[in-house]
Amino acid sequence: MYAQLVETGVKRVKSLEEMTPEERAFQERIDAEIKIEPKNWMPDAYRQTLIRQISQHAHSEIVGMLPEGNWVTRAPTLKRKLQLMAKIQDEAGHGMYLYSAMETLGADRDEEIEKLHAGKAKYSSIFNYPTLNWADMGAVGWLVDGAAIVNQVVLQRTSYGPYSRAMIRICKEESFHQRQGYEILLTMMRHGNQAQKDMVQDAINRLWWPALMMFGPSDADSPNSAQSMAWKIKRMSNDDLRQRFIDQTVPQLEFLGCTAPDPDLKWNEERGHYDFGQINWQEFYDVLKGNGPCNRERIATRRKALEDGKWVREAAVAHAAKRQQKQNAA
Amino acid sequence: MTDNKNDLIEYLLRLGDNAMINGQRLCEWCGHAPALEEEMALMNVALDLVGQARNWYEYAAELLADGRDADQLAFTRDERDFRNTLLVEQPNGDYAVTTAKLFLFDAWHLHTLQALSASKDERIAAIAAKALKEATYHLRRSGEWVERLGDGTEESRQRMLAAIDELWRFTGDLLAGDAIQQRLATAGIAADAEAVASAWQATVEQVFGAASLPVPQPASYFYLDGKRGLHTEHLGILLAEMQFLQRAYPGATW
């Protein structure tokens, strides 16, 4: 999940009886699975929640370019380099697509990016972990994009039309990246030497738990979920999505011939699901608060790019104005 | 063709190395571009270039037939064996330096690929025809940015002038032909260096004119020669980064 903790500002979900006529008409539209479109009336809290969620999602795409960008100059073969470049390019495109969806809600892209750089807006905690060996490029594709897809597939049915349509487009490209990521790991495990196999296991050991954290806090600690579910912004709970991800990922892990860094992970015949160990929620909240391994570096990089590029953007604006002036004079 | 084989390999490596090193420099921009649109555009151009490098290397590897494949040509040759023009190995600098570097190269690249699309060597003609479509986009893009920065704000103009001043000396190496290229051009296989140079001059004059930037005097010979593997001190460090995994784990499958 690329937006893992979104405040709704709502303490308790209202019943239909408690709603104003406008709110009730809105909720009935939601309940009838009719998409909300930009010009439709919507509760302010719905609008704000979506702005927070979609911008968080967009920020994640952009910050998410950095851990992979870290290896793009060092990719080991031409094929892998090309794949990684294509993936990063897609991510920039996803970011732009999501910012556009967010802007249909009346938010401003530059203002939201400003909040990100000021540390006021979140992005996915996963991108605060460093990429330390080449196998991380496979593991990020497989586990991180995999977790994102599990979330995004469900978000294709989210109640806000522009967000839902963004998810449909993005999912197509993400699934491709996920398969490529898995293939990177599979190649290293099947055809690699011992050092390469060790890289794969090491990447999984480091990214396994952070990937599970991408689904957000457990349902018991998700005060915002009830309202998001009632608005059908969210369609499944954090824990259900996390379980779905684990159930589909463990067989892939076994097929690789690798293990998860979780001694409690085992198939539960009775539940028909994998049981798994306790997530380190202290780490999760620390990373989300800005105290993860790379939080400072990630934000500093984005801030520097924006600051260093200021004169370039100003030049583009000035040139466009000059051109317009010439056109008007002609 | 057998007469020209060694010439041809040399020439293919130049084409491949130009695209490869230029693409590698663009990869360094990832996450640092001045706008999201530029992140996309730079990675897009880089992707095109590395793809082209692979095509040239594959052909070169077939002709070499010494067991090396495209990857080994890219990742296991040292700087004395690299044949790229000095311009593309220069550091990215600010966005004006990167823009000027791309534009000066793209203009040369476009005219070279135009000529190569008509090469008597069918393989070269096919690779060039594909690359030409990409280079046409690259030149349009970098040319527009030369205009925006040259004729934008006072600051952007000063930076653009400084960038041209910094890079112009490498255009001598970019445009110079040599006996190898001459022999191949005479055989109808390679682009004629002088014809490309004059087309390049016209393109540069047109875009600099639109950006109201002065065109410097032709650059003189520089005592280094990328085509003969005589590079600036920047290339070695670039290769150390680019080749690290193949060097550390030789023969591994990735």
Side-chain angles (χ1 to χ4, degrees):
Chain A
M1 185 163 178
Y2 275 19
Q4 60 203 152
L5 208 168
V6 182
E7 306 287 332
T8 56
V10 176
K11 294 272 176 281
R12 186 178 65 83
V13 182
K14 281 186 197 172
S15 66
L16 279 177
E17 291 72 38
E18 294 171 287
M19 292 179 181
T20 66
E22 267 177 328
E23 286 172 338
R24 188 179 301 189
F26 172 81
Q27 189 61 48
E28 282 167 356
R29 192 184 161 111
I30 298 266
D31 293 341
E33 297 286 338
I34 303 169
K35 294 276 179 259
I36 306 299
E37 296 299 335
K39 285 181 178 163
N40 296 148
W41 185 90
M42 60 188 86
D44 194 52
Y46 176 85
R47 184 184 300 277
Q48 296 310 324
T49 299
L50 271 171
I51 290 173
R52 278 192 286 269
Q53 175 155 345
I54 302 175
S55 63
Q56 229 183 85
H57 201 149
H59 298 334
S60 302
E61 296 281 1
I62 301 312
V63 177
M65 293 167 66
L66 301 176
E68 290 174 331
N70 184 37
W71 279 92
V72 71
T73 54
R74 291 178 288 167
T77 67
L78 294 164
K79 177 179 152 188
R80 294 303 182 204
K81 201 178 187 79
L82 289 163
Q83 285 176 347
L84 194 57
M85 280 189 262
K87 182 175 186 218
I88 293 169
Q89 197 195 343
D90 282 348
E91 278 154 7
H94 295 170
M96 280 167 45
Y97 204 61
L98 285 160
Y99 283 126
S100 298
M102 179 201 76
E103 284 177 329
T104 65
L105 292 157
D108 179 74
R109 171 169 138 176
D110 293 342
E111 282 173 23
E112 296 305 316
I113 290 174
E114 203 43 58
K115 286 183 201 164
L116 169 72
H117 293 181
K120 287 177 190 152
K122 296 187 185 77
Y123 56 92
S124 181
S125 58
I126 190 75
F127 302 120
N128 292 311
Y129 290 86
T131 50
L132 301 178
N133 73 40
W134 169 254
D136 285 25
M137 296 303 99
V140 166
W142 170 49
L143 292 175
V144 175
D145 291 31
I149 291 166
V150 164
N151 184 253
Q152 288 171 172
V153 161
V154 186
L155 282 176
Q156 293 180 91
R157 295 188 293 116
T158 194
S159 61
Y160 187 58
Y163 193 26
S164 147
R165 290 189 288 275
M167 285 302 104
I168 292 167
R169 267 177 81 148
I170 289 172
C171 275
K172 286 181 189 154
E173 293 182 345
E174 293 282 17
S175 332
F176 186 64
H177 300 155
Q178 195 211 3
R179 284 199 293 273
Q180 275 183 344
Y182 192 69
E183 199 254 335
I184 287 175
L185 300 183
L186 202 56
T187 303
M188 291 172 78
M189 290 305 292
R190 292 278 157 90
H191 307 289
N193 54 40
Q194 192 56 45
Q196 290 172 292
K197 290 176 188 173
D198 292 346
M199 282 181 206
V200 173
Q201 185 60 56
D202 175 53
I204 293 169
N205 290 349
R206 285 181 287 106
L207 288 166
W208 179 262
W209 290 107
L212 296 187
M213 292 177 194
M214 289 174 70
F215 296 94
S218 72
D219 295 349
D221 299 311
S222 261
N224 298 290
S225 287
Q227 184 62 73
S228 278
M229 297 280 271
W231 281 330
K232 299 194 177 182
I233 293 175
K234 283 181 79 153
R235 307 296 314 233
M236 277 177 78
S237 82
N238 294 351
D239 286 336
D240 287 347
L241 286 165
R242 189 166 13 240
Q243 184 70 59
R244 177 185 276 197
F245 173 73
I246 288 172
D247 289 346
Q248 76 176 41
T249 303
V250 172
Q252 296 167 1
L253 180 74
E254 285 168 355
F255 188 74
L256 277 178
C258 293
T259 56
D262 179 358
D264 298 324
L265 183 74
K266 62 170 182 298
W267 178 251
N268 182 325
E269 191 64 46
E270 208 174 308
R271 290 204 307 130
H273 291 293
Y274 282 92
D275 291 338
F276 56 97
Q278 187 63 236
I279 287 173
N280 183 346
W281 293 113
Q282 184 60 46
E283 176 178 332
F284 170 77
Y285 287 110
D286 279 342
V287 175
L288 220 56
K289 260 186 284 184
N291 298 321
C294 296
N295 296 60
R296 279 170 190 249
E297 285 80 359
R298 299 293 186 241
I299 290 299
T301 301
R302 291 309 306 158
R303 204 183 277 151
K304 184 169 189 305
L306 199 75
E307 278 162 17
D308 289 353
K310 187 163 180 272
W311 68 272
V312 179
R313 296 190 301 277
E314 285 170 353
V317 170
H319 181 73
K322 281 185 192 175
R323 196 168 260 206
Q324 189 64 45
Q325 239 168 18
K326 272 184 208 157
Q327 239 167 27
N328 292 347
Chain B
M1 197 201 75
T2 42
D3 300 345
N4 288 327
K5 192 172 161 192
N6 287 337
D7 286 354
L8 194 51
I9 291 167
E10 275 292 309
Y11 191 63
L12 290 169
L13 287 175
R14 292 175 191 178
L15 291 165
D17 291 346
N18 278 334
M20 187 72 218
I21 301 303
N22 205 3
Q24 175 71 8
R25 280 292 186 216
L26 289 177
C27 286
E28 295 172 10
W29 269 106
C30 180
H32 306 279
L36 267 187
E37 288 81 354
E38 294 307 293
E39 293 283 0
M40 265 190 98
L42 294 172
M43 205 47 74
N44 191 338
V45 173
L47 188 59
D48 288 344
L49 289 167
V50 175
Q52 292 170 17
R54 181 165 68 168
N55 291 336
W56 297 124
Y57 287 153
E58 276 171 359
Y59 188 19
E62 282 172 36
L63 294 176
L64 275 164
D66 60 1
R68 283 185 293 176
D69 61 10
D71 281 330
Q72 280 156 324
L73 290 179
F75 295 105
T76 64
R77 278 179 305 141
D78 278 338
E79 58 182 292
R80 284 291 279 113
D81 299 318
F82 262 74
R83 297 293 183 245
N84 60 281
T85 189
L86 304 173
L87 178 71
V88 296
E89 73 199 32
Q90 297 313 304
N92 286 331
D94 65 9
Y95 214 59
V97 172
T98 289
T99 298
K101 192 164 54 146
L102 288 176
F103 169 71
L104 295 171
F105 177 80
D106 291 343
W108 174 85
H109 203 202
L110 178 98
H111 296 303
T112 297
L113 293 171
Q114 271 172 342
L116 292 181
S117 311
S119 172
K120 281 185 184 161
D121 183 304
E122 283 176 16
R123 183 81 172 268
I124 288 184
I127 296 172
K130 182 173 182 292
L132 178 60
K133 291 179 199 150
E134 297 165 344
T136 305
Y137 157 67
H138 301 168
L139 178 62
R140 193 183 78 210
R141 184 184 167 279
S142 60
E144 281 172 1
W145 271 109
V146 168
E147 268 192 60
R148 280 190 201 106
L149 299 182
D151 187 26
T153 61
E154 187 49 34
E155 181 182 7
S156 71
R157 181 176 173 76
Q158 290 309 319
R159 284 180 185 256
M160 201 63 212
L161 287 167
I164 293 165
D165 180 56
E166 176 65 25
L167 296 174
W168 191 259
R169 60 203 161 117
F170 300 112
T171 58
D173 177 71
L174 175 73
L175 300 174
D178 67 352
I180 292 174
Q181 188 175 352
Q182 188 54 50
R183 285 196 294 271
L184 288 171
T186 306
I189 292 171
D192 178 72
E194 278 178 34
V196 170
S198 73
W200 178 88
Q201 183 74 19
T203 300
V204 170
E205 281 172 10
Q206 189 233 319
V207 171
F208 277 24
S212 60
L213 292 165
V215 180
Q217 291 300 307
S220 56
Y221 185 66
F222 199 66
Y223 306 104
L224 290 177
D225 187 349
K227 287 183 286 299
R228 289 195 292 134
L230 296 167
H231 293 278
T232 59
E233 290 177 348
H234 301 294
L235 185 65
I237 292 164
L238 179 151
L239 293 180
E241 179 174 350
M242 185 173 101
Q243 300 179 333
F244 137 72
L245 278 170
Q246 286 278 357
R247 300 286 194 178
Y249 306 94
T253 303
W254 301 92

